[in-house]
C-alpha cells in the first residue's frame, strides 16, 4: 500500500545518505593521509637527507597500483571483503560486551572505592560507546596486515589495496618521482578504483547477508529494485547532498 511504499522510499533515502556519508568520510581520510604522508616525508628528508621511498621503491609502488597492469582491481575487491569482515568483528565484539554486561560490571567494580564511582561509570559508558570502533579497527588492522602473510605462507600472491593506505604510498612515491613519472596517472586512477571497490564490495556483502534474513526475501527484492530505480533516476544524491534531500534536517 501507500504506507509500505512510503517506508520503502524512506529506506532508500537513508541508503542514499549512508552512501554520501561514507564517501565523504573516505575522501576526508584520503586527503588527510596524503597530507600527513607528505609532512612525514619532509621530516624524514630533514632527518636522513633522503625521501622515505627511494627511486626504485617509488617506481615499484606506482607500477603495482596500475589498474591495467597489476592485480589492483582484484585486490581492491578482496579488500572490500576484508572491510566487511572487520565490521562483523566489530558487531560481534559489541554484542559480546553487551551480553556479558561489561559496562555495568565496570561501573559497579570494587575499584570504584579507590577511583570513585563516577570514574568507573564513565569508564563503563566509554567502553559501551567505543567498543564497536575498537573491535573494527583491531579487526581491519589484523586482516589487512595478515592477509599478505597468510597468502605468502600458502604460496598465493595475495595483497591488499585499501584506498587510504594506498593514497599514503602514492603520495610518498609522487614526492620522490614527481607527477610526470611513468604510471603516475594510472596509479591516481587506481585510487578511484580502490575507493569504488572497497566501498561497493563491502556494502554489497553486508546487503547480501541482510537480505538472506528469514522473512524478507520479497521485501529484499523490492528494496534492491527501488535502489536501482532511484539510482538511475537520481544518481547524484548518492554522492552529494543535492535536490530535496539537501534541505532535509
Amino acid at each position: 500500500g501507500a504506507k509500505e511504499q512510503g517506508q520503502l522510499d524512506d529506506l532508500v533515502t537513508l541508503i542514499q545518505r549512508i552512501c554520501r556519508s561514507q564517501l565523504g568520510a573516505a575522501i576526508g581520510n584520503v586527503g588527510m593521509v596524503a597530507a600527513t604522508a607528505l609532512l612525514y616525508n619532509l621530516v624524514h628528508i630533514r632527518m636522513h637527507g633522503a625521501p622515505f621511498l627511494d627511486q626504485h621503491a617509488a617506481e615499484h609502488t606506482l607500477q603495482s597500483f596500475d589498474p591495467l597492469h597489476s592485480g589492483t582491481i582484484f585486490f581492491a575487491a578482496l579488500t572490500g571483503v576484508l572491510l566487511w569482515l572487520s565490521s562483523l568483528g566489530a558487531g560481534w565484539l559489541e554484542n559480546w560486551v553487551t551480553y556479558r554486561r561489561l559496562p555495568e560490571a565496570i561501573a559497579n567494580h570494587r575499584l570504584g572505592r579507590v577511583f570513585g564511582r563516577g570514574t568507573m561509570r564513565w569508564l563503563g559508558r566509554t567502553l559501551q560507546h567505543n567498543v564497536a570502533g575498537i573491535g573494527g579497527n583491531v579487526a581491519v588492522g589484523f586482516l589487512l596486515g595478515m592477509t599478505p602473510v597468510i597468502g605468502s605462507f600458502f604460496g598465493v600472491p595475495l595483497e591488499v589495496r585499501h584506498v587510504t593506505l594506498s593514497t599514503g604510498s602514492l603520495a610518498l612515491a609522487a614526492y620522490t618521482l614527481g607527477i610526470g613519472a611513468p604510471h603516475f596517472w594510472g596509479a591516481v586512477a587506481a585510487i578511484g578504483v580502490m575507493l569504488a571497490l572497497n566501498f561497493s564490495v563491502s556494502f554489497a556483502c553486508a546487503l547480501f547477508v541482510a537480505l538472506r534474513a528469514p522473512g524478507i526475501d520479497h521485501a529484499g527484492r523490492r528494496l534492491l529494485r527501488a535502489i536501482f530505480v532511484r539510482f538511475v533516476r537520481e544518481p547524484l544524491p548518492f554522492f552529494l547532498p543535492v535536490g530535496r534531500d539537501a534541505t532535509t534536517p
Side-chain angles (χ1 to χ4, degrees), residues 75-227:
F75 294 140
L78 173 63
T79 302
V81 176
L82 299 180
L83 294 175
W84 167 67
L85 290 175
S86 72
S87 70
L88 294 185
W92 176 87
L93 181 60
E94 185 175 27
N95 289 340
W96 187 85
V97 167
T98 301
Y99 178 75
R100 297 289 180 177
R101 301 179 65 183
L102 290 188
E104 293 90 338
I106 292 174
N108 296 291
H109 197 274
R110 59 178 176 270
L111 285 177
R113 301 171 186 172
V114 179
F115 298 106
R117 290 298 173 191
T119 299
M120 300 307 292
R121 285 195 295 269
W122 175 80
L123 288 174
R125 290 194 303 269
T126 300
L127 175 65
Q128 187 172 20
H129 294 157
N130 296 286
V131 64
I134 294 171
N137 286 325
V138 171
V140 76
F142 177 82
L143 290 169
L144 295 181
M146 291 302 296
T147 294
V149 176
I150 294 173
S152 177
F153 179 80
F154 288 103
V156 180
L158 291 180
E159 298 180 28
V160 295
R161 290 290 185 271
H162 189 280
V163 60
T164 306
L165 301 178
S166 297
T167 297
S169 299
L170 175 60
L172 294 172
Y175 192 98
T176 300
L177 300 176
I179 62 175
H183 303 287
F184 173 77
W185 293 109
V188 172
I191 296 298
V193 171
M194 294 176 205
L195 176 60
L197 288 175
N198 287 174
F199 174 73
S200 62
V201 171
S202 178
F203 182 79
C205 289
L207 187 61
F208 175 77
V209 172
L211 294 180
R212 288 179 62 85
I216 66 169
D217 291 344
H218 180 65
R221 289 193 294 270
R222 288 185 60 205
L223 175 61
L224 290 176
R225 184 164 56 250
I227 294 173

Side-chain angles (χ1 to χ4, degrees), residues 1-13 15 207 211 215-231:
K3 182 178 179 180
E4 291 182 354
Q5 184 61 42
Q7 291 174 340
L8 186 62
D9 289 341
D10 290 343
L11 183 55
V12 175
T13 299
I15 291 174
L207 187 61
L211 294 180
I216 66 169
D217 291 344
H218 180 65
R221 289 193 294 270
R222 288 185 60 205
L223 175 61
L224 290 176
R225 184 164 56 250
I227 294 173
F228 177 77
V229 170
R230 180 78 68 87
F231 185 82

